[in-house]
Amino acid sequence: MPQAPTVPDDRVYSTLARLRELEGHARAMTFLPRQPVGSALNGRHASHMRGRGLNFEELRGYLPGDDVRSIDWKVTARTGKPHVRIYSEERDRPALLLIDQRQSMFFGSRLNMKSVTAAETAALAAFRILDVGDRVGGIVFNDHGMTEVKPQRSRRALHALIAAIAEQNQVLQADTQPMLEASPLNAPLQAAAQLARHDHLVIVISDFDGIDGQTQELISGIARHNDVISVLIEDPIAREPPKDLQMVASDGRMQMTIDTGTSGAFSKLRDATARRLEDILSWQQSLGIPVLSLSSGEKTVAQVRRLMGRLPARRKYSR
């Protein structure tokens, strides 16, 4: 008897259809430097974001209600009448998304695989960015290579990016041998530095496995001329490993048994995990880069709304 086609579990794999369904949710969100009150990027984090530039539009006489900070004092002194300089906000801000689909992302202990949370976050961001009229592109990478989509203001480019995410997500398998090269995250960061030379919004969505000194240098270099947001994808087990955990870990050549119920094993694993998280979170102070944490143990849409901000109802969105 022919078997019925199986439908991928959307907690394990992100299909193209599933990622496209997120477009409606994205319309009510903001991934941009100008954040609403209560957003993770509001306050001191927002001060690190450049936001849009301004284009000079006109010089005109002062009108009641004009911001006194916009008064051009030289022209005012010369003419004897107050004049203000009017600026219009730049309407182009290309965004580049880096989406991690390496083997380390194919893990989940509670709800989603980390790779699924990363894919859904990237789709939400891409749809929202294009929706406000900006160019969007990205680099989707795994242990073997990467797919680049240059930022464009086009639904065709956006769909190419979403399709690349879904394709790389669905080739992940539990029995795939991990790559042994150190810090494969650096290669996509080098590619991003070539694509985003200045005035881009760069969003890195990853578990940041395998970071080293060069990783920090690359991100720091990108942030020198662009706005960078790091989105850390975590599994709940990373914050607090269970005390009765028993598993076999392998690097592709050797393997070892981990039993956190034994003396000292639990504290060592917890401390090692905490140090790695602290290294990434310290980028907020050392590099001035917002680091937002998303858990694969919770629904992606709800978390993104909570972290990045939701647009007020019945209010036209403006950058």
Side-chain angles (χ1 to χ4, degrees), residues 35-48:
Q35 296 296 319
V37 174
S39 165
L41 294 186
N42 194 44
R44 64 186 181 89
H45 295 320
S47 65
H48 296 304

Side-chain angles (χ1 to χ4, degrees), residues 171-280:
V171 298
L172 288 168
Q173 296 181 10
D175 59 356
T176 300
Q177 294 294 334
M179 299 292 288
L180 301 178
E181 291 82 355
S183 201
L185 181 60
N186 292 342
L189 286 174
Q190 290 170 341
Q194 295 298 316
L195 288 175
R197 294 188 177 275
H198 61 84
D199 298 327
H200 281 61
L201 175 62
V202 180
I203 304 177
V204 186
I205 306 170
S206 173
D207 65 355
F208 295 93
D209 182 59
I211 61 173
D212 57 15
Q214 186 185 7
T215 309
Q216 183 165 325
E217 290 178 4
L218 287 167
I219 289 184
S220 177
I222 295 171
R224 207 167 289 131
H225 303 291
N226 303 276
D227 290 331
V228 177
I229 299 174
S230 296
V231 181
L232 171 62
I233 307 297
E234 301 180 82
D235 186 84
I237 206 173
R239 292 282 183 176
E240 187 62 31
K243 293 185 178 182
D244 57 350
L245 175 67
Q246 292 184 354
M247 67 178 181
V248 176
S250 172
D251 64 359
R253 294 178 302 179
M254 303 179 65
Q255 69 180 28
M256 63 179 293
T257 300
I258 299 175
D259 184 357
T260 59
T262 61
S263 176
F266 172 76
S267 60
K268 288 180 181 179
L269 180 61
R270 182 184 57 191
D271 293 345
T273 302
R275 284 195 300 271
R276 176 171 164 271
L277 294 177
E278 287 173 3
D279 287 343
I280 301 168

Side-chain angles (χ1 to χ4, degrees), residues 13 101-103 106 115 168-174 176:
Y13 290 109
Q101 293 293 294
R102 295 176 296 166
Q103 192 64 28
F106 196 60
S115 51
Q168 291 203 20
N169 179 270
Q170 292 181 62
V171 298
L172 288 168
Q173 296 181 10
T176 300

Side-chain angles (χ1 to χ4, degrees), residues 52-53 89-94 133-135 153 199 319:
R52 290 188 178 277
E89 209 170 28
E90 290 178 349
R91 295 307 301 166
D92 182 57
R93 180 184 177 81
D134 280 337
R135 288 178 285 161
R153 194 179 296 105
D199 298 327
R319 291 286 292 266

